[in-house]
Amino acid sequence: MFKMLACKRLNSFIKHRAQVWTLAQRKVTTWSPVGAAFNSKPQRRLDVFQDNVGLFGVPELSSPAGFEVATKRALKDTQLLVDKTCHSPPGAATVEYFDQLSDGLCKVADLADFVKVAHPDPLFREAAEKTCIEIGTVVEKLNTNVELSTSLKDLLNSPDILNQLDHDTRRVAELFMFDFEISGIHLEEKLRKEAVALHVKLLDLNNEFLMGSHLPNRIAKSAIPEHLHLHFAKEGSFIQIGGLHADSPDDLLREIAYRIFLYPNGQMLDCLEELLKCRNKLAKLVGYESYAHRALKGTMAKSPKAVMDFLELLTDKLKDKTAKDFKMMTDMKKKLNPRNSELMAWDHPYFSAVLRAERFNIEPSLYSPYFSLGACMEGLNNLFSQLFGVSLMSDQPSAGEVWSEDVRKLAVVHETEGLLGYIYCDFFHRTDKPHQDCHFTIRGGRRCQATGDYQLPVVVLMLSLPHPTKSAPTLLTPGMMENLFHEMGHAMHSMLGRTRYQHVTGTRCATDFAEVPSILMEYFANDYRVVSQFARHYQTGQSLPQSMVARLCESKKVCGAADIQLQVFYAALDQVYHGEPQNRSTTELLKDKQHQFYGLPYTPSTAWQLRFSHLIGYGAKYYSYLMSRAVASMVWKQCFLKDPLNRDMGERYRREMLAHGGAKEPMLMVEGMLQRRPTMEELVDALVSDLNPNFETFIMDSES
């Protein structure tokens, strides 16, 4: 029922003096206020009399103990709302009460979900973890509260009342009912208890698998050549191998890391087998053919058959390009290592990178001076201003509002609508901070029926960028810059939505649609008309040459078909694992699907699936990355390729795709943007055509 996904007024904005790095010749690059804010060290006002407002402005969270206070208050409010909902006649107010329930719990749980992984203070992390467990327990009870579900069922079973509801209210009611049904609320008591027990068991299995998927494997030092020991952590007489070392130029090192890191662990194999059995049993118990059928309800794909049709058609259309890519990699391996020239699974990442470097000489250090963090933020501000009439404005956090001194706060302000929400930018590397780029919803947007006010969304963007130095601001590689644009796509999805209900706010939508806005931002990040507006040398102010941007874009197409095919293999394996049980081991299924969908041979005595941590958060939905990219590609080519800064098209994009969150069926949003429903073949063709070379690049290279 309640998806555990992840308003003070606008303060006067701080006027920054642009602190810039200068050359000996005193050449100066000037930045806009938002650019200057991110190219200078944060300036905190030292006011000993200023009260601690608490994390994100939540007064109770001025200390770890505040989580217990906030949790108790949320649970008390929850009980009052449950009683109110159960004793009110069915109507639009029923859905409003449900959304208030969801909002009250999510505002505490989503915030705690972030704090438990990102706060530098272990006491805060522990308190947040405890809150997550407490709220999670309550949610499980609510999901099986028969009286509560009956109040919603009475609404949905009353045609006269249902017909009076607007589209969004009806859809949200149906989504809440779906959450009840997948918890087994419609089952008789004995079966319902069995469903609850399976839910509890799955929570433990999910956690066990997730933890185990990241643990290193170890092997006796004597088992591997001594000259390779320095590449691994040591533990007494053992070597610990915690990754694939996929970018190492040493063939033997890559092979050893691959074979040992992926060596099967019996306990983990049993855990995965049991996890998949429990998922299948639960799905069938609540009325679905398989776990995949349950997971894909409400998505763009809709069914496992549609997903497999998509993956098989993509494989077929990529076949020639993929074969060509693998031949290029094989030839390169023969050239560098004639005595051992068979291309293996541990070779793909390394030799594709070698080929990209050889063809286009893409050295990240040549690009980084043009991509200072301030310049990139200025570019995003310019882009959003031109597309949506939205500005990113640096806002000074109050005492206690942020969890680290280097966190920046942005107010997102529309030229006529005013303040839309807040983005907290936790961009810099920190000890014990996860090394992953992600977007967290802290508070979802919703219309407050009692006051008519809009609850402003609050999100966090978390990156792991290098800190500025004394001589230079933070400089991003092209990959870091693209990731920043990607994550900001998620943030703007949250900011620009104006859903009536919190349950469907922003990124709370179908998984295969949620990545479309973020991936679309990658297309903007690779278009010279956009890049030229901000990419300039942090010292000289010189613009990044167009030929360098073109080479960078073309380099990503090198071995691109093989890269996509690897993702197709992962997605197909995910579907098979969550489809009808086949009485074969997960390793046998992997071997079969690797042969069918990848092309490089399976390595005996390895179990890559035990490192496939996406099986937890993206079970039966790993295909979403590919389908979202296909949709984003179509939107880019049809709507923005001609003019990436077109305001009318930006407004259409907001109106048709960003404004609705999950309140509208995902394919209807795509149809509204493209003004037609794309076929499966068109989606596949969009991905394949992205790999076609741009001959203008080669003309520019020959002229430069």
Side-chain angles (χ1 to χ4, degrees), residues 7 99 103 107 110 420-421 441-448 453-459 493-495 497-508:
C7 279
D99 196 61
D103 183 51
K107 274 195 287 198
D110 288 343
L420 298 181
T441 297
I442 303 299
R443 184 177 70 204
R446 70 185 296 269
R447 179 70 57 194
C448 302
D453 294 335
Y454 197 81
Q455 175 174 287
L456 298 177
V458 175
V459 305
H493 195 180
S494 295
M495 294 295 115
R498 274 298 179 265
T499 54
R500 179 176 171 184
Y501 297 105
Q502 177 273 160
H503 195 62
V504 290
T505 185
T507 55
R508 289 177 182 160

Side-chain angles (χ1 to χ4, degrees), residues 278-485:
C278 285
R279 283 181 172 178
N280 182 66
K281 188 175 181 180
L282 179 60
K284 289 196 167 181
L285 190 63
V286 299
Y288 291 89
E289 288 181 51
S290 69
Y291 183 84
H293 283 85
R294 173 191 143 172
L296 295 176
K297 183 172 179 179
T299 62
M300 286 196 293
K302 294 188 181 298
S303 72
K305 182 182 183 305
V307 173
M308 291 307 296
D309 286 348
F310 172 69
L311 298 175
E312 287 168 2
L313 184 58
L314 183 54
T315 297
D316 184 59
K317 294 212 172 194
L318 281 175
K319 186 168 53 180
D320 292 342
K321 291 179 185 288
T322 304
K324 183 179 176 184
D325 286 353
F326 282 135
K327 184 179 186 307
M328 286 193 304
M329 285 186 257
T330 301
D331 290 346
M332 180 58 74
K333 188 173 183 181
K334 281 180 183 176
K335 178 180 172 183
L336 298 179
N337 188 357
R339 291 180 298 173
N340 184 18
S341 59
E342 183 182 6
L343 193 70
M344 303 299 289
W346 54 79
D347 293 323
H348 178 159
Y350 175 69
F351 284 107
S352 60
V354 168
L355 285 162
R356 277 191 283 271
E358 182 185 65
R359 289 196 174 192
F360 292 100
N361 187 29
I362 302 301
E363 172 52 53
S365 63
L366 298 177
Y367 287 80
S368 292
Y370 297 92
F371 293 143
S372 69
L373 178 56
C376 295
M377 293 304 296
E378 191 170 288
L380 286 163
N381 186 46
N382 290 341
L383 178 62
F384 297 147
S385 175
Q386 290 171 87
L387 286 179
F388 310 120
V390 163
S391 297
L392 305 176
M393 306 184 76
S394 183
D395 193 18
Q396 179 72 37
S398 300
E401 186 178 349
V402 295
W403 49 100
S404 178
E405 280 295 300
D406 55 16
V407 173
R408 311 298 211 280
K409 180 184 179 184
L410 292 176
V412 181
V413 183
H414 189 272
E415 60 191 14
T416 59
E417 298 169 34
L419 181 61
L420 298 181
Y422 292 104
I423 302 172
Y424 290 84
C425 301
D426 188 356
F427 283 172
F428 299 103
H429 171 78
R430 191 168 60 244
T431 306
D432 293 333
K433 177 182 171 182
H435 293 283
Q436 60 191 77
D437 299 340
C438 19
H439 162 271
F440 292 86
T441 297
I442 303 299
R443 184 177 70 204
R446 70 185 296 269
R447 179 70 57 194
C448 302
Q449 297 303 310
T451 64
D453 294 335
Y454 197 81
Q455 175 174 287
L456 298 177
V458 175
V459 305
V460 174
L461 293 190
M462 189 164 75
L463 308 177
S464 196
L465 302 177
H467 287 271
T469 66
K470 289 182 180 180
S471 59
T474 292
L475 302 178
L476 279 60
T477 65
M480 290 174 183
M481 182 273 284
E482 190 174 280
N483 287 348
L484 171 61
F485 270 63

Side-chain angles (χ1 to χ4, degrees), residues 563-634:
D563 293 343
I564 291 176
Q565 198 58 52
L566 180 59
Q567 296 300 311
V568 170
F569 158 49
Y570 295 160
L573 183 66
D574 176 41
Q575 287 299 307
V576 171
Y577 280 169
H578 291 103
E580 188 65 32
Q582 299 187 24
N583 297 317
R584 300 169 67 193
S585 72
T586 56
T587 302
E588 288 172 325
L589 291 171
L590 179 141
K591 186 176 179 180
D592 180 51
K593 292 302 149 191
Q594 184 163 338
H595 175 74
Q596 181 183 354
F597 285 101
Y598 188 26
L600 296 185
Y602 165 75
T603 303
S605 298
T606 62
W608 177 85
Q609 73 272 23
L610 301 184
R611 303 296 182 180
F612 195 9
S613 58
H614 284 81
L615 287 173
I616 302 307
Y618 287 83
K621 296 180 181 180
Y622 191 82
Y623 78 93
S624 296
Y625 293 106
L626 289 168
M627 190 163 282
S628 287
R629 183 165 292 279
V631 171
S633 176
M634 288 193 71

Side-chain angles (χ1 to χ4, degrees), residues 30-194:
T30 57
W31 306 101
S32 68
V34 73
F38 282 86
N39 266 359
S40 61
K41 294 187 184 296
Q43 301 171 9
R44 296 284 186 255
R45 292 178 300 204
L46 294 176
D47 185 351
V48 293
F49 300 107
Q50 189 177 15
D51 291 334
N52 185 322
V53 301
L55 289 173
F56 298 103
V58 179
E60 293 88 348
L61 300 185
S62 57
S63 71
F67 270 106
E68 185 177 355
V69 177
T71 303
K72 283 182 177 177
R73 188 185 68 240
L75 297 185
K76 181 181 178 183
D77 292 345
T78 294
Q79 189 54 55
L80 291 172
L81 274 167
V82 168
D83 293 341
K84 191 174 184 179
T85 306
C86 292
H87 295 94
S88 297
T94 306
V95 183
E96 171 65 21
Y97 296 152
F98 267 86
D99 196 61
Q100 287 179 32
L101 270 171
S102 177
D103 183 51
L105 290 170
C106 284
K107 274 195 287 198
V108 179
D110 288 343
L111 192 156
D113 255 341
F114 169 73
V115 171
K116 76 178 183 181
V117 298
H119 203 291
D121 185 342
L123 294 178
F124 266 100
R125 294 201 301 269
E126 289 165 17
E129 176 69 35
K130 186 179 178 184
T131 286
C132 288
I133 293 169
E134 285 187 53
I135 299 283
T137 302
V138 171
V139 167
E140 286 301 317
K141 289 179 180 177
L142 289 175
N143 284 340
T144 53
N145 184 318
V146 177
E147 189 179 6
L148 190 61
S149 73
T150 300
S151 67
L152 192 62
K153 189 183 293 184
D154 289 345
L155 169 66
L156 292 170
N157 289 341
S158 304
D160 291 344
I161 300 174
L162 206 57
N163 290 335
Q164 294 174 22
L165 303 182
D166 60 75
H167 172 271
D168 287 6
T169 301
R170 184 168 180 164
R171 177 167 171 82
V172 170
E174 290 167 350
L175 289 172
F176 276 123
M177 198 69 232
F178 171 66
D179 291 339
F180 272 125
E181 288 171 353
I182 63 175
S183 297
I185 198 74
H186 55 296
L187 303 174
E188 60 180 60
E189 187 176 358
K190 182 182 176 183
L191 293 178
R192 190 164 65 247
K193 286 182 178 178
E194 186 180 349

